Amino acid sequence: MRYWFACLVALAAPVAAQERPAAPAFTLAPLPYPATALEPVIDGETMTLHHDRHHRAYVDALNKAVAADPALFGLSLEQLLAQAGSAPTAVRDNAGGHWNHGFFWKTMTRPGAGGAPSPELARAIDAAFGSMERMKTAFKAAGTGRFGSGWVWLIVDADGRLAITSTPNQDNPLMDVAAIRGTPLLGNDVWEHAYYLKHRNRRAEYLDTWWQVVDCKTVSERFAETMDRTAQD
């Protein structure tokens, strides 16, 4: 009797394991601050819709796309971005959407709490653009010049220099399809859903006020980490 019971348990176990749903490969982290923390620059309703609806949709769609292709199992988000040019469109769009938004939330903090760039970053900005204000002007020009939806970025390029670039849709400079590749230090979402409830169609106004919530401490840390990696390579 014990023998037959043991056999039944052994046969049932693999079936149960197969029927158990696999955990999603990617998850949506909560915002690193309350949804209202960036007011009056970005209103709480926009932040809630942007994070809870738009970002979640990218995560859910990415998990669905990865689950449909065994070749993608176990790849990190950065690995998916690096092969975006050969990936299915659903993977490229939604991996980009997930990475870009996770990066975006961490780039911001409460108005006036972001501090100033580190001396090292400030020197690099002056060397590349002439001044912080000129960098902001170039950033705004790239953001307003992006036709339709997309992102504008401050990056460290392949030569270790700062550059400003823009990408369409949910692409980013880490992708193998990017016109200018590099390591993002900060990025701003210029899809209308990022600003429309408050700024309507006034993208330039949104880009101007956005600097009030940029977390320069985080940006400076990213710059230091990027330059350390560059020195080691």
Side-chain angles (χ1 to χ4, degrees):
M1 186 68 179
R2 290 179 181 175
Y3 171 79
W4 289 111
F5 179 75
C7 289
L8 289 171
V9 170
L11 288 170
V15 174
Q18 291 175 3
E19 291 176 351
R20 189 180 305 122
F26 302 101
T27 57
L28 178 65
L31 285 170
Y33 33 69
T36 56
L38 306 184
E39 291 183 346
V41 177
I42 304 178
D43 60 283
E45 184 179 7
T46 294
M47 289 296 292
T48 298
L49 290 170
H50 199 171
H51 177 270
D52 295 0
R53 300 288 183 85
H54 291 279
H55 192 175
R56 180 175 295 283
Y58 291 121
V59 175
D60 292 345
L62 177 60
N63 282 324
K64 183 178 179 180
V66 168
D69 189 345
L72 303 177
F73 291 177
L75 294 184
S76 69
L77 193 53
E78 288 72 19
Q79 288 171 321
L80 293 175
L81 298 179
Q83 60 184 44
S86 58
T89 300
V91 173
R92 172 177 171 174
D93 290 346
N94 292 295
H98 183 25
W99 192 94
N100 292 353
H101 285 87
F103 183 85
F104 182 55
W105 311 135
K106 294 175 184 176
T107 300
M108 299 182 291
T109 189
R110 297 176 185 276
S118 66
E120 295 79 11
L121 178 56
R123 284 195 293 270
I125 289 172
D126 289 345
F129 305 102
S131 69
M132 184 71 172
E133 288 308 310
R134 288 185 178 180
M135 186 273 284
K136 290 181 179 180
T137 298
F139 193 90
K140 178 181 178 180
T144 55
R146 166 51 55 191
F147 180 77
S149 301
W151 292 74
V152 56
W153 309 90
L154 174 68
I155 67 170
V156 176
D157 68 16
D159 296 320
R161 294 178 294 203
L162 296 185
I164 288 171
T165 185
S166 176
T167 55
N169 303 317
Q170 292 297 345
D171 286 358
N172 67 49
L174 296 175
M175 291 181 172
D176 58 351
V177 295
I180 301 176
R181 299 188 68 183
T183 303
L185 299 182
L186 63 85
N188 195 354
D189 186 347
V190 294
W191 286 63
E192 283 194 342
H193 63 237
Y195 60 86
Y196 196 83
L197 292 182
K198 179 177 178 64
H199 298 282
R200 301 304 178 190
N201 64 333
R202 299 185 298 274
R203 183 185 290 183
E205 177 184 280
Y206 160 68
L207 286 164
D208 283 336
T209 60
W210 181 70
W211 291 102
Q212 299 175 40
V213 295
V214 170
D215 189 346
C216 287
K217 178 181 178 182
T218 294
V219 176
S220 297
E221 290 171 352
R222 290 170 178 165
F223 176 71
E225 291 168 0
T226 301
M227 299 312 292
D228 284 347
R229 286 196 303 270
T230 301
Q232 293 169 10
D233 289 344

